[in-house]
């Protein structure tokens, strides 16, 4: 859909955040009397849980601060736009992006808004920053993708929905680039696979309908569309990072697209921390950036229910070597963990209404 | 009563047909059948449709005229028949009667169900409506649980084993792997069946027929007219229809489906044949135990020897009596209202010799056995390549 031949629109800083608490899916299954056999297909062992004093905003702020740590050349005063993609904002009306702007010291002359498109609001935020940076409307944009993923108690979603997210500082022909954008391609249709009505606390979903006609159709269409535009094949990419609603879909979609498993595993988070909704594939991208070499090419494909996918081709540059150690890596957050049981899980989550 | 032939059949791909609505599925199968019969739609004089619960599955009742409308069968009589999983087996019988009686010369009969628009737990509740609402489902009994009780009793009375149940699934999956319209075109092993999650002990997921979208259609006409449409008409040689108690607990022996015994007795008599004359049968394997009990109740083997019959491979394609070459409800799929006519579609193809890789060699006489609920309805039809 769009090819950026100049290689000048780039990520100059990135950062992630994952809460420290974990619950094993056995604990959830135990609480609900569910057979672990029935859950095998998810290929998820444990998920992150937000702390009692955390929410989507605190995750967004932590990720934004880590992104700024990796972009020492960027002053918060130079950030012209902050967009936050999420489906679990603490406020239905009142932006997360204003709170992040205040927390990081952005100037008053800043463009702020929140994006919602189920699990792909975050990549839409990235696209807005790319567009505004390329057009010269801003010097730097901060795109945030974070969620405290909601799930109905006892629903199959509860075994995957977790908390975490990432942030990216994006500029055009400015700063010390970590990775540049080479092309972008999006698809969308009216496919009601997963939704949450206004004033309803937890999302609903169409069960197996979330698979073939939703996730697979859109991720595959966006990825193949981008590769066709770029005249590239799976062999041209070193990594693929699809949206990760569970542990099996991303591996399966990579296989169907013709990617070897070794290209999807480096960015795969869901088996050990779950699904961050908007923050899922963007945090997978951060995990890949934590280990990629300059010159390597990454295919990032988000998926948002409803439904649509955004695909990006991203090429890592030398700046990665100078910057990756300036903030905690995704792996650091993955390894920092404290297990809780289902009783603490429901309290931290506020799932018991008092 | 005059003789009746099947001159055209059509069926959709079975499975999760999220791309099609109820009406689209039926039209797809009906158009296939018309093409197969080399017939114009205005030659159809009446439409019979088996449908279990479109009202619960997709919020649509009054299915007869809906489908006639979408098939451009303007002003033609359109009947909807409901008998749970036996809906289109029963519809087929009424369509047969309509032609046999001389009231109509050419009729279309089909079945359709669109089940995947609701969740699996919701679908299970809809299935349970096939049972006694006041004395079974009200107390929490579901169809899988009822057949699990039947299986357990069969284990106790006859020593049937879970492995023998699993062998039914293995056989039917193996056959479905050769059927391009089947829902599950892959093979399974006994170990995999027994390792699959328990639905209702001793029935595992892979012992149970799935939730399926699909439609199947057949066109019937008088035997005199048949050769006008096809060189290979398949004749209806006999039928049997029977009902039994709606509730399982009102039967003296739950290891026998009395309606199956009675319907088969009628059908064999009318066709003038014995069980040993059947070359190929499409049986109602809603659960693996149902196929094993059906072997016995249809007289394919002695009572209590159904487990042994599957174990000995007697019902494999090319065995003593080939059972469910299509893959059966288990693996071809079970769109409830469409299942009865889907069985007819398979038998017609087998008797024509056009069943491809799953062809039963030299099949001359075939049977369909369609059961509703826990055996409260049974519709059996016997078909042959030659007239009676």
């Amino acid at each position: 859909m769009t090819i950026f031949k100049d290689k000048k629109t780039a990520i100059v800083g990135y950062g992630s955040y994952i809460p420290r608490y974990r619950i094993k899916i056995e604990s959830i299954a135990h609480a609900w009397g569910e057979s672990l056999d029935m859950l095998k297909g998810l290929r998820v062992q444990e998920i992150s849980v937000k702390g009692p004093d955390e929410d989507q905003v605190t995750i967004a702020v932590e990720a934004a601060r880590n992104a700024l740590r990796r972009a020492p050349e960027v002053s918060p005063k130079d950030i012209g736009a902050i967009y936050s993609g999420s489906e679990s904002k603490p406020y239905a009306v009142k932006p997360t992006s204003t709170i992040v702007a205040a927390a990081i010291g952005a100037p008053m002359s800043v463009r702020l808004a929140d994006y919602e498109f189920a699990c792909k609001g975050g990549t839409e935020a990235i696209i807005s920053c790319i567009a505004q940076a390329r057009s010269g409307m801003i010097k730097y944009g901060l795109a945030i993708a974070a969620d405290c993923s909601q799930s109905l108690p006892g629903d199959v979603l509860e075994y995957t929905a977790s908390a975490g997210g990432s942030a990216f500082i994006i500029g055009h022909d400015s700063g010390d680039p970590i990775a540049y954008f080479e092309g972008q391609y999006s698809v969308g249709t009216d496919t009601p696979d997963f939704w949450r009505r206004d004033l309803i606390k937890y999302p609903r979903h169409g069960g197996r309908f979330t698979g073939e006609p939703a996730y697979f159709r859109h991720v595959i269409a966006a990825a193949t569309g981008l590769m066709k535009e770029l005249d590239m094949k799976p062999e041209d990419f070193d990594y693929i990072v699809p949206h990760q609603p569970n542990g099996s879909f991303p591996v399966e979609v990579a296989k169907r697209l013709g990617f070897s498993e070794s290209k999807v595993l480096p960015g795969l988070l869901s088996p050990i921390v779950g699904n961050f909704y908007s923050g899922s594939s963007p945090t997978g991208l951060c995990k890949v950036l934590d280990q990629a070499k300059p010159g390597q090419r990454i295919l990032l494909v988000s998926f948002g229910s409803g439904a649509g996918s955004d695909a990006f081709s991203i090429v890592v540059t030398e700046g990665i070597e100078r910057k990756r150690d300036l903030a905690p890596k995704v792996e650091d957050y993955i390894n920092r963990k404290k297990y809780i049981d289902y009783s603490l899980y429901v309290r931290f989550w506020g799932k018991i209404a008092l | 009563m005059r003789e009746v032939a099947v001159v055209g059949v059509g069926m959709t791909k079975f499975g999760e047909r999220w791309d099609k609505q109820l009406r689209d599925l039926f039209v797809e199968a009906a158009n296939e059948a018309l093409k197969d019969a080399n017939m114009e739609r205005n030659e159809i004089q009446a439409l019979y449709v088996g449908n279990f619960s479109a009202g619960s599955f997709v919020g649509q009742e009054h299915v007869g005229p809906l489908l006639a409308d979408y098939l451009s069968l303007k002003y033609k009589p359109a009947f909807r028949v409901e008998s749970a999983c036996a809906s289109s087996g029963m519809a087929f019988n009424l369509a047969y009667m309509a032609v046999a009686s001389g009231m109509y010369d050419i009729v279309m009969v089909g079945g359709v169900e669109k089940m995947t628009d609701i969740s699996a737990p919701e679908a299970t509740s809809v299935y349970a409506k096939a049972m006694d609402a006041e004395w079974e489902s009200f107390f929490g009994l579901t169809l899988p649980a009822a057949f699990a009780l039947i299986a357990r009793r069969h284990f106790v009375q006859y020593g049937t084993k879970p492995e023998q149940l699993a062998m039914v699934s293995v056989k039917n999956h193996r056959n479905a792997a050769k059927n391009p319209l089947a829902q599950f075109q892959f093979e399974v092993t006994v170990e995999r069946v027994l390792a699959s999650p328990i639905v209702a002990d001793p029935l595992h997921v892979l012992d149970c027929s799935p939730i399926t979208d699909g439609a199947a259609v057949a066109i019937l006409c008088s035997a005199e007219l048949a050769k006008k449409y096809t060189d290979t008409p398949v004749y209806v040689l006999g039928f049997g229809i029977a009902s039994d108690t709606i509730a399982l607990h009102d039967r003296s022996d739950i290891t026998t489906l009395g309606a199956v015994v009675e319907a088969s007795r009628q059908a064999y008599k009318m066709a003038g044949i014995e069980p040993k004359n059947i070359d190929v049968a499409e049986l109602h394997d809603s659960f693996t135990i149902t196929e094993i009990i059906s072997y016995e109740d249809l007289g394919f083997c002695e009572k209590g020897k159904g487990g042994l019959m599957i174990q000995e491979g007697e019902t494999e394609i090319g065995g003593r009596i080939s059972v469910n070459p299509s893959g059966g409800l288990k693996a071809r799929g079970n769109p409830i209202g469409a299942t009865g006519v889907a069985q007819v579609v398979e038998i017609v193809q087998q008797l024509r010799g056009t069943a491809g890789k799953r062809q039963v060699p030299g099949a001359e006489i075939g049977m369909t056995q369609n059961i509703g609920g826990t055996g409260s309805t049974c519709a059996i039809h016997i078909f042959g390549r030659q007239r009676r």
Side-chain angles (χ1 to χ4, degrees):
Chain A
M1 203 175 273
T2 310
I3 299 174
F4 312 123
K5 287 187 178 157
D6 56 21
K7 305 180 181 179
K8 286 180 177 172
T9 308
I11 297 168
V12 298
Y14 72 94
S16 301
Y17 177 78
I18 303 171
R20 73 172 66 231
Y21 298 104
R22 299 287 183 280
I23 186 165
K24 289 183 181 291
I25 68 158
E26 286 93 320
S27 301
I28 304 173
H30 177 72
W32 288 104
E34 195 63 70
S35 151
L36 277 175
D37 278 354
M38 290 296 229
L39 302 165
K40 267 192 250 168
L42 295 173
R43 296 196 187 163
V44 173
Q45 291 119 44
E46 56 193 53
I47 59 173
S48 63
V49 183
K50 80 182 188 72
D53 56 353
E54 292 184 304
D55 61 16
Q56 183 261 342
V57 169
T58 64
I59 291 170
V61 168
E62 290 294 334
R65 284 178 174 156
N66 281 336
L68 280 164
R69 287 189 181 106
R70 284 204 178 92
E73 74 277 24
V74 176
S75 161
K77 306 279 178 243
D78 291 330
I79 291 177
I82 301 175
Y83 294 115
S84 165
S86 172
E87 59 176 284
S88 58
K89 292 169 28 155
Y91 292 90
V93 179
K94 183 189 183 317
T96 293
S97 52
T98 55
I99 309 172
V100 175
I104 65 167
M108 190 177 175
S109 58
V110 64
R111 208 168 282 123
L112 304 170
D114 289 359
Y115 271 106
E116 187 281 313
F117 190 151
C119 297
K120 86 169 187 85
T123 49
E124 285 296 341
I126 292 173
I127 292 168
S128 278
C129 289
I130 291 172
Q132 293 188 25
R134 284 187 68 79
S135 69
M137 290 173 75
I138 55 173
K139 186 170 182 189
Y140 294 109
L142 174 60
I144 300 167
D147 260 309
C148 286
S149 310
Q150 298 140 326
S151 59
L152 179 71
D155 186 50
V156 67
L157 266 185
E158 202 171 38
Y159 297 91
T160 56
S162 61
S166 294
F168 303 88
I169 298 170
I170 291 162
H172 179 72
D173 203 13
S174 56
D176 183 10
I178 283 170
Y180 65 83
F181 292 99
E182 189 175 39
Q184 198 281 316
Y185 191 99
S186 292
V187 296
T189 67
D190 184 23
T191 303
D193 61 313
F194 176 112
W195 63 93
R196 180 164 66 84
R197 299 284 306 234
D198 193 20
L199 304 181
I200 302 294
K201 195 169 177 184
Y202 299 111
R204 292 187 61 192
H205 57 85
R208 287 173 53 80
F209 185 77
T210 59
E212 291 302 331
Y215 179 86
F216 289 101
R217 180 180 175 213
H218 293 84
V219 170
I220 288 170
T224 51
L226 180 62
M227 286 193 281
K228 194 176 169 196
E229 291 278 320
L230 289 167
D231 195 21
M232 286 183 187
K233 293 186 170 60
E235 299 79 62
D236 297 314
F237 292 86
D238 299 287
Y239 305 95
I240 176 168
V241 186
H243 174 54
Q244 305 172 21
N246 52 47
S248 65
F249 277 21
V251 174
E252 172 65 20
V253 83
K255 187 175 150 194
R256 288 199 207 174
L257 282 163
F259 287 79
S260 64
E261 202 169 291
S262 63
K263 291 185 180 180
V264 68
L265 293 181
L268 194 65
L269 300 157
S270 46
I272 38 174
V273 287
N275 176 7
F276 302 161
Y277 286 2
S278 305
S280 171
S281 58
T283 307
L285 171 64
C286 292
K287 187 163 178 279
V288 167
L289 290 173
D290 284 343
Q291 56 192 291
K293 294 185 182 65
Q296 289 192 316
R297 183 176 282 119
I298 305 163
L299 178 59
L300 168 70
V301 197
S302 66
F303 169 73
S305 289
S309 274
D310 301 324
F312 303 81
S313 175
I314 300 166
V315 180
V316 182
T317 57
E318 285 175 7
I320 191 68
E321 309 283 12
R322 292 185 284 278
K323 290 181 154 180
R324 68 160 58 109
D325 293 330
L326 298 179
K329 297 188 180 69
V330 173
E331 200 71 28
D332 298 331
Y333 283 116
I334 288 173
N335 294 331
R336 183 194 72 148
K337 61 183 173 183
K338 183 172 179 183
Y339 289 104
I340 58 172
D341 63 12
Y342 193 74
S343 59
L344 279 186
Y345 167 86
V346 293
R347 180 161 71 83
F348 287 3
W349 244 110
K351 285 192 170 186
I352 299 176
L354 297 173
Chain B
M1 297 273 274
R2 56 183 180 167
E3 288 190 61
V4 177
V6 182
V7 291
V9 290
M11 191 174 116
T12 65
K13 165 85 174 65
F14 278 12
E16 291 170 315
R17 295 296 306 271
W18 288 311
D19 55 326
K20 298 272 182 175
Q21 298 177 7
L22 179 96
R23 61 193 71 185
D24 305 324
L25 289 166
F26 195 83
V27 168
E28 185 183 321
N31 285 340
E32 280 289 318
L34 285 166
K35 202 170 121 192
D36 185 45
N38 197 22
M39 187 182 281
E40 296 297 324
R41 66 189 66 234
N42 59 17
E43 295 180 74
I44 303 288
Q45 295 170 312
L47 174 66
Y48 292 80
V49 181
N51 175 261
F52 169 49
S53 207
S56 302
F57 286 122
V58 293
Q60 174 75 58
E61 303 290 11
H62 215 176
V63 169
L66 167 85
L67 301 177
D69 181 14
Y70 275 74
L71 278 170
S72 299
L73 298 178
K74 199 166 187 176
Y75 300 134
K76 299 288 169 70
F79 303 87
R80 179 244 183 115
V81 181
E82 190 279 306
S83 275
C85 295
S87 294
S88 63
M90 296 294 269
F92 185 87
N93 191 253
L94 294 182
Y96 164 85
M97 298 273 208
V99 177
S101 69
M103 182 58 73
Y104 299 121
D105 289 325
I106 302 173
V107 302
M108 176 181 277
V109 55
V112 61
E113 210 76 54
K114 172 74 188 170
M115 301 174 68
T116 64
D117 278 5
I118 59 175
S119 68
E122 289 168 323
T124 303
S125 301
V126 178
Y127 268 115
K129 293 181 184 182
M131 306 166 70
D132 185 329
E134 289 201 33
W135 294 107
E136 290 185 319
S137 43
F138 181 83
F139 294 98
L141 192 67
T142 60
L143 265 185
F147 277 95
L149 289 171
I150 291 172
R152 281 176 162 247
R153 190 65 207 158
H154 206 270
F155 288 5
V156 170
Q157 270 179 235
Y158 302 112
T160 305
K161 295 183 171 57
E163 289 76 13
Q164 293 170 326
L165 262 53
M167 286 171 194
V168 173
S169 181
V170 170
K171 168 181 70 71
N172 292 350
H173 270 266
R174 189 185 302 127
N175 294 349
K178 297 171 189 152
N179 182 353
L181 297 181
Q183 180 165 6
F184 298 134
Q185 295 171 37
F186 58 83
E187 299 193 17
V188 297
T189 59
V190 168
E191 295 71 33
R192 186 170 164 195
V193 176
L194 295 177
S196 65
I198 290 275
V199 173
D201 195 8
L203 301 178
H204 298 256
V205 163
L206 287 171
D207 284 301
C208 305
S209 59
I211 290 167
T212 310
D213 301 327
V217 170
I219 295 172
L220 309 187
C221 71
S222 62
E224 289 70 35
L225 283 176
K227 289 276 172 140
K228 179 183 163 196
Y229 297 101
T230 175
D231 294 334
T232 53
V234 169
Y235 300 96
V236 180
L237 305 184
F239 72 86
I241 305 286
S243 61
D244 198 353
T245 65
I246 189 77
L248 204 57
H249 55 247
D250 285 331
R251 297 180 198 163
S252 56
D253 179 1
I254 62 168
T255 62
T256 285
L257 301 179
V260 175
V261 175
E262 172 56 22
S264 60
R265 189 191 61 76
Q266 296 168 16
Y268 291 133
K269 188 179 171 196
M270 181 173 170
I273 63 162
E274 293 178 43
K276 67 177 184 194
N277 301 120
I278 304 283
D279 298 310
V280 55
E282 282 286 307
L283 303 189
H284 196 91
D285 57 327
S286 50
F287 301 92
T288 48
I289 183 65
T290 331
E291 181 168 322
I292 285 180
I293 287 185
S294 294
Y295 295 163
E296 302 167 0
D297 291 344
L298 291 167
F300 290 2
C301 67
E302 274 178 56
K303 191 68 206 166
K305 298 283 171 58
L308 210 57
M309 192 173 183
I310 182 75
Q311 194 176 326
E312 299 293 323
E314 294 185 62
T315 53
E316 298 282 347
I317 291 175
R320 184 161 66 83
I321 301 178
S322 305
V323 172
N324 286 330
S326 70
L329 281 64
K330 172 66 207 78
R332 178 200 58 221
N334 181 20
I336 305 177
T339 286
V341 172
Q343 293 177 324
V344 173
V345 171
E346 178 68 15
I347 291 300
V348 166
Q349 288 175 342
Q350 289 288 348
L351 298 188
R352 282 176 179 171
T354 57
K357 290 180 184 165
R358 59 184 196 285
Q359 179 65 46
V360 173
E364 289 286 333
I365 294 180
M367 167 191 270
T368 59
Q369 175 232 22
N370 196 195
I371 297 175
T374 53
S376 309
T377 295
C378 182
I380 290 176
H381 290 88
I382 295 175
F383 301 85
R385 286 167 58 88
Q386 308 299 328
R387 293 174 70 163
R388 267 202 303 260

